[in-house]
Amino acid sequence: MRIDVVSIFPDYLQPLELALLGRARADGLLTLHVHDLRDWTHDRHRTVDDTPYGGGAGMVMKPEPWGEALDELTGQSGNPGHLIVPTPSGTLFTQSLAEQLATEHRLIFACGRYEGIDQRVCDHYARRMPVSEISIGDYVLSGGEVAAMVIIEAVARLLPGFVGNPDSLVEESHVVGAGGLLEYPVYTKPVRWRGEEVPEVLRTGHHGRIARWRREQALLRTATRRPDLLASGRPVLSAPDVATSAAHDGESAEGAAPQA
Ligand code: JAH
């Protein structure tokens, strides 16, 4: 996958070079190109904003530099890719959308500042390529850069061959990723820490009881923290979960407790 990011603060995207993405790039799974929108201005002050038609507070990003930047970037190859515009007015970013975006050959992020980008930019490019105006949550940032980084990280870890442990992706796919339940609480050694103990059931080795306890904890957590997920009408128990729980019912403590 090739990712392009256009911003008036290209240095803000520097964290993407590190750790997680650094590995994907070294493996050739991902190429990242960060661009300065002002490179597509022509005036002495490299102007990217102007006052809003209809009045109101703040400034709006002018369409012309965006048009020149996006024409150049999308004109480079046959398939123009998918244009993503982070905005608090967009559709909500979800794991499901991350999975869809991970199938694309090319993503281009247009990071706005001020009150946003002249709407005609999205409307124009939507005639040529898929365009998604995306919100990562109901809060206002100073610009689209941090939201773009969130989306890029969520997509990059889904690229085939990217994650070291493929089991972790299977696990998460039927919990919060699929819009089901929040994850159950997890514990590791030592068994007692500052007076707090690891729940006894997790040390029994009874897989059926452990599975049921975890599902119960996930449900309690979801009801308390994210009641919207339970009200959504989506299933909270998948068929394999039920089968696994039943298969382990009444089973003895085979598999044992983890060693101290
Ligand atoms: C703010 C352009 N959903 C988070 C989010 C995404 C983008 C922006 N704000 C919040 C934003 C100013 C200008 C985009």
Side-chain angles (χ1 to χ4, degrees):
M1 175 185 283
R2 170 175 171 154
I3 297 179
D4 290 89
V5 184
V6 184
S7 162
I8 60 168
F9 294 116
D11 291 348
Y12 279 29
L13 283 298
Q14 196 58 36
L16 286 176
E17 311 280 337
L18 300 169
L20 206 73
L21 284 187
R23 223 183 84 197
R25 296 179 72 184
D27 297 347
L29 291 165
L30 192 64
T31 57
L32 176 68
H33 303 263
V34 181
H35 312 272
D36 187 343
L37 178 69
R38 293 191 201 275
D39 290 348
W40 286 280
T41 60
H42 303 288
D43 64 310
R44 222 160 49 86
H45 296 104
R46 310 182 89 197
T47 310
V48 295
D49 62 330
D50 204 339
T51 54
Y53 269 112
M59 300 291 273
V60 173
M61 294 194 102
K62 297 163 60 62
E64 300 96 321
W66 285 109
E68 294 206 24
L70 296 174
D71 280 354
E72 184 173 329
L73 294 177
T74 59
Q76 282 169 357
S77 67
N79 187 341
H82 191 135
L83 179 63
I84 299 172
V85 184
T87 166
S89 323
T91 59
L92 196 61
F93 185 60
T94 60
Q95 190 65 26
S96 168
L97 183 50
E99 286 166 15
Q100 287 173 244
L101 294 176
T103 68
E104 300 274 5
H105 289 102
R106 177 128 188 235
L107 300 178
I108 302 179
F109 289 84
C111 300
R113 282 267 152 177
Y114 317 112
E115 302 307 310
I117 304 172
D118 186 303
Q119 188 58 43
R120 291 171 295 179
V121 175
C122 283
D123 296 349
H124 173 76
Y125 285 96
R127 300 179 200 285
R128 305 193 187 173
M129 65 199 291
V131 176
S132 299
E133 295 182 64
I134 297 177
S135 166
I136 62 163
D138 292 336
Y139 37 82
V140 180
L141 301 171
S142 301
E145 288 79 7
V146 169
M149 286 194 280
V150 167
I151 296 167
I152 291 168
E153 179 163 319
V155 169
R157 61 187 291 282
L158 297 178
L159 297 179
F162 182 71
V163 193
N165 178 8
D167 287 349
S168 63
L169 285 185
V170 174
E171 283 266 319
E172 78 186 358
S173 71
H174 65 82
V175 262
V176 68
L181 296 178
L182 299 185
E183 290 277 16
Y184 50 77
V186 297
Y187 302 86
T188 186
K189 294 177 283 296
V191 69
R192 189 178 179 84
W193 178 78
R194 299 191 181 182
E196 308 273 356
E197 285 212 341
V198 173
E200 201 275 336
V201 63
L202 298 179
R203 299 183 265 133
T204 61
H206 285 92
H207 303 318
R209 287 187 207 167
I210 291 170
R212 278 193 299 276
W213 181 85
R214 284 177 166 167
R215 206 167 294 107
E216 184 180 287
Q217 292 296 309
L219 264 167
L220 286 170
R221 239 183 200 191
T222 308
T224 306
R225 303 177 181 180
R226 293 291 307 279
D228 58 302
L229 293 179
L230 295 176
S232 69
R234 285 173 294 207
V236 295
L237 271 184
S238 71
D241 279 346
V242 175
T244 303
S245 179
H248 290 291
D249 260 359
E251 200 172 75
S252 64
E254 156 253 336
Q259 66 240 18

